[in-house]
Amino acid sequence: MTTPDPSREPEPTKPAGTATTPYKDRVYRSPAGVVGGALVLAIVAWLGIDAVVVGEGRTPWLALATMLFLVPLVFAYTLRPAVFVNDDGLRVRNPLRLIVLPWGQVASLRSGFSNEVVDDSGTKYQLWALPVSVRARSKAARQDARAARAAARADARSDARAGQGGSLRGGAVGAADLGTGAALAADGPRRAETDRAMDELRELHERRQGEPGTQGEVTVRWAYEIIAPAVAGAVLLGVLWGLG
């Protein structure tokens, strides 16, 4: 389940001479990924520091090399992923890359087994911060089915009471049932959290893709601050194991 980070949503200001309010800057993350990553990092730090302090021989060096290798990767695949959204475009922070896509260069936003953004050249970029949850989709579908059955029962009871004339109390209950059914129908189909986030991105893309300020080039930058220490840790581990 992915939710916008409200702490990153400054109040927009309305520029002079425009009738539209700028879209609030938003950050989408995976709460489950953040919590899981924090727990894994805590376990790695606990075991690694313990091995460094009380270990003997090559054990402290092996522990340091293992932490140097694991910590950047765990951080990259759990805490780092995020999708930053504003009026100008998307900034997709994936485990090992940072992709900046102006809305004018976005061809489509797709949802299947994973959520992806496709640029005008046909290149696909996975949105790691918006993972697809089949379980969440199934739960939303079950809630929809229950709501539809409840609305149908409420409407049927209201029709039956209206046909019979009903007492004052029965008419009041029937009106309440009818209101409940109408409210359930008005809510529309329920959507999984990440699917709702993708709907918001598609809506903003349709609104902004033709604007002059949303044109530009797609830029991709590798996260060398993650790659370099992970590679160094892997090399150090290899050397230590090679020395026997």
Side-chain angles (χ1 to χ4, degrees):
M1 180 176 69
T2 306
T3 56
D5 185 349
S7 64
R8 300 293 187 99
E9 296 183 7
E11 288 297 324
T13 56
K14 189 171 183 179
T18 180
T20 59
T21 301
Y23 186 78
K24 294 179 181 180
D25 287 351
R26 285 195 149 188
V27 183
Y28 293 93
R29 299 179 186 273
S30 171
V34 171
V35 172
L39 289 175
V40 173
L41 286 175
I43 292 171
V44 170
W46 173 43
L47 296 176
I49 293 173
D50 182 68
V52 170
V53 172
V54 304
E56 298 178 354
R58 291 188 308 132
T59 300
W61 290 104
L62 284 170
L64 286 173
T66 302
M67 285 194 293
L68 186 60
F69 173 67
L70 287 180
V71 168
L73 294 181
V74 173
F75 173 83
Y77 283 90
T78 58
L79 303 181
R80 175 180 162 83
V83 176
F84 302 85
V85 186
N86 58 30
D87 271 340
D88 297 328
L90 292 170
R91 188 156 55 95
V92 181
R93 196 169 68 188
N94 281 344
L96 301 179
R97 292 192 298 180
L98 177 66
I99 307 107
V100 178
L101 300 110
W103 287 123
Q105 292 293 323
V106 174
S108 64
L109 290 141
R110 299 177 182 173
S111 296
F113 293 106
S114 64
N115 289 315
E116 300 171 336
V117 57
V118 184
D119 67 15
D120 282 343
S121 68
T123 305
K124 294 184 289 188
Y125 304 98
Q126 186 174 349
L127 303 178
W128 282 78
L130 296 172
V132 170
S133 172
V134 176
R135 181 172 176 270
R137 285 180 176 176
S138 299
K139 181 180 178 181
R142 289 195 300 270
Q143 290 176 340
D144 272 344
R146 285 197 297 269
R149 289 195 296 269
R153 285 196 298 268
D155 291 342
R157 286 195 298 268
S158 298
D159 291 342
R161 290 186 179 114
Q164 294 171 0
S167 63
L168 180 61
R169 179 178 177 277
V173 173
D177 288 343
L178 183 60
T180 302
L184 290 169
D187 285 343
R190 286 165 174 77
R191 303 274 283 162
E193 202 67 38
T194 53
D195 290 337
R196 287 203 300 269
M198 291 297 289
D199 290 342
E200 292 176 6
L201 296 183
R202 291 189 187 99
E203 180 184 352
L204 185 58
H205 171 233
E206 291 175 2
R207 216 167 57 228
R208 296 290 301 170
Q209 61 180 335
E211 297 295 325
T214 63
Q215 309 307 310
E217 297 296 326
V218 177
T219 60
V220 180
R221 183 182 73 82
W222 288 95
Y224 293 108
E225 66 275 14
I226 300 291
I227 298 171
V231 170
V235 170
L236 184 56
L237 273 174
V239 170
L240 291 173
W241 283 111
L243 293 175

